[in-house]
């Protein structure tokens, strides 16, 4: 699953255990990792995230202490997402630990990556690439839950980055999604946001289909800027919102 490819992507160098805790906590609290879902085992997690077994074990212990996961022993055992994390995970909500400056910077970086990806994709996108993007935007339009909408959105953005035919841009987008996905999962609880974003994707897809570089860049920038504005609004209202 593409969602898991993002959640369990390799971790950076600094504070690796804390990064794992933050990433998995965000994924659990926002529903990208669902209640009762089993995490990969420690060996697989260490390989997937590019860290040591000790680091993984330390992070999992923290998640257990925060009552976000529980461990079952035995043949069919493993680490599972807890059923009710709304109370235990509130202090770990992604909007609690980040600032408006951080969100603005993340949005600017993401806008730069997707805008340039759209610029290149408008020149290089194949018919197959375009058909794949249309399929993903259709999935987004029909998605009903925040999790389904987030996963479809991730596919759309990664498809645009891949259509640039730049491995560096595609890899950068994959890394950004590790931070971005859990945040927009909160936004996608709103049907109004979902409808607006679906329209923006339709505009961007049409621009790419017509190979209009200027229109594609403008639509891509508007898409990410819209997300960023909503994220900043959510952050400023947190934790007053219930």
């Amino acid at each position: 699953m593409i969602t898991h490819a993002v959640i369990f992507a390799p971790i950076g160098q600094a504070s690796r255990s804390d990064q794992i805790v933050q990433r998995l906590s965000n994924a659990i609290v926002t529903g990208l990792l669902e209640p009762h879902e089993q995490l990969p085992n420690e060996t697989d997690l260490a390989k997937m995230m590019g860290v040591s077994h000790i680091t993984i074990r330390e992070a999992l212990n923290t998640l257990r202490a925060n009552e976000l996961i529980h461990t079952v022993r035995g043949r069919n055992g493993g680490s599972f997402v807890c059923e009710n994390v709304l109370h235990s995970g509130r202090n770990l909500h992604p909007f609690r630990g980040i600032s408006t400056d951080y969100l603005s910077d993340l949005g600017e970086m993401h806008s730069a990556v997707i805008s340039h990806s759209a610029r290149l994709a408008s020149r290089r996108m194949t018919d197959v690439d375009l058909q794949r993007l249309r399929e993903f935007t259709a999935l987004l339009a029909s998605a009903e839950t925040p999790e389904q909408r987030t996963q479809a959105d991730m596919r759309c953005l990664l498809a645009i980055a891949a259509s640039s035919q730049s491995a560096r841009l595609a890899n950068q987008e994959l890394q950004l999604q590790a931070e971005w996905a859990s945040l927009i999962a909160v936004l996608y609880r709103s049907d109004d946001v979902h409808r607006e974003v679906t329209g923006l994707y339709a505009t961007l897809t049409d621009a790419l289909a017509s190979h209009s570089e200027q229109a594609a860049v403008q639509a891509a920038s508007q898409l990410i800027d819209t997300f960023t504005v909503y994220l900043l609004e959510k952050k400023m209202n947190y934790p007053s919102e219930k």
Side-chain angles (χ1 to χ4, degrees):
M1 291 177 62
I2 197 167
T3 308
H4 288 182
V6 170
I7 295 171
F8 302 122
I11 290 292
Q13 292 297 319
S15 304
R16 288 185 163 194
S17 178
D18 290 342
Q19 288 183 66
I20 295 169
V21 170
Q22 186 64 52
R23 185 185 293 180
L24 297 186
S25 296
N26 288 351
I28 292 169
V29 170
T30 56
L32 292 179
L33 290 175
E34 299 178 349
H36 307 297
E37 182 170 344
Q38 183 174 6
L39 302 182
N41 62 46
E42 290 186 9
T43 299
D44 289 341
L45 274 176
K47 290 179 180 178
M48 295 163 71
M49 306 186 85
V51 298
S52 69
H53 284 77
I54 295 175
T55 300
I56 288 294
R57 191 168 296 118
E58 180 181 348
L60 293 179
N61 285 339
T62 301
L63 292 170
R64 274 191 288 270
N66 290 331
E67 299 180 354
L68 295 178
I69 66 170
H70 68 279
T71 298
V72 176
R73 305 296 178 186
R75 182 177 179 181
N76 296 319
S79 294
F80 298 83
V81 176
C82 291
E83 181 174 2
N84 185 1
V85 299
L86 293 181
H87 175 72
S88 58
R90 182 157 181 80
N91 290 336
L92 298 170
H93 193 283
F95 284 99
R96 181 179 178 86
I98 55 178
S99 66
T100 53
D101 286 344
Y102 178 90
L103 284 174
S104 294
D105 186 61
L106 178 62
E108 289 169 0
M109 179 64 178
H110 204 179
S111 181
V113 169
I114 289 300
S115 295
H116 193 57
S117 294
R119 183 190 306 278
L120 295 178
S122 68
R123 308 171 191 167
R124 303 172 177 176
M125 181 174 254
T126 67
D127 290 341
V128 173
D129 293 334
L130 182 60
Q131 179 60 31
R132 184 181 299 112
L133 179 58
R134 290 197 187 280
E135 290 172 359
F136 292 155
T137 55
L139 284 174
L140 175 60
S142 63
E144 297 181 353
T145 69
E147 295 75 27
Q148 291 171 347
R149 293 168 180 176
T150 301
Q151 291 171 11
D153 190 285
M154 291 162 63
R155 289 181 173 92
C156 291
L157 291 175
L158 288 168
I160 293 167
S163 296
S164 72
Q165 298 183 27
S166 166
R168 288 183 181 274
L169 281 174
N171 184 61
Q172 186 63 61
E173 175 58 27
L174 183 63
Q175 293 181 44
L176 284 168
Q177 283 290 346
E179 300 177 80
W180 189 257
S182 61
L183 297 172
I184 66 165
V186 177
L187 299 183
Y188 273 133
R189 295 172 186 170
S190 166
D191 291 337
D192 290 339
V193 171
H194 176 231
R195 281 191 292 269
E196 181 177 358
V197 170
T198 298
L200 292 173
Y201 268 114
T203 299
L204 174 53
T205 302
D206 288 344
L208 291 169
S210 64
H211 301 286
S212 174
E213 180 177 319
Q214 182 176 355
V217 171
Q218 182 177 351
S221 178
Q222 184 179 1
L223 172 67
I224 302 301
D225 288 351
T226 297
F227 274 128
T228 304
V229 168
Y230 280 126
L231 288 174
L232 289 169
E233 181 180 299
K234 281 287 184 183
K235 170 58 183 177
M236 287 186 287
N237 289 332
Y238 181 85
S240 60
E241 292 186 342
K242 295 183 179 180

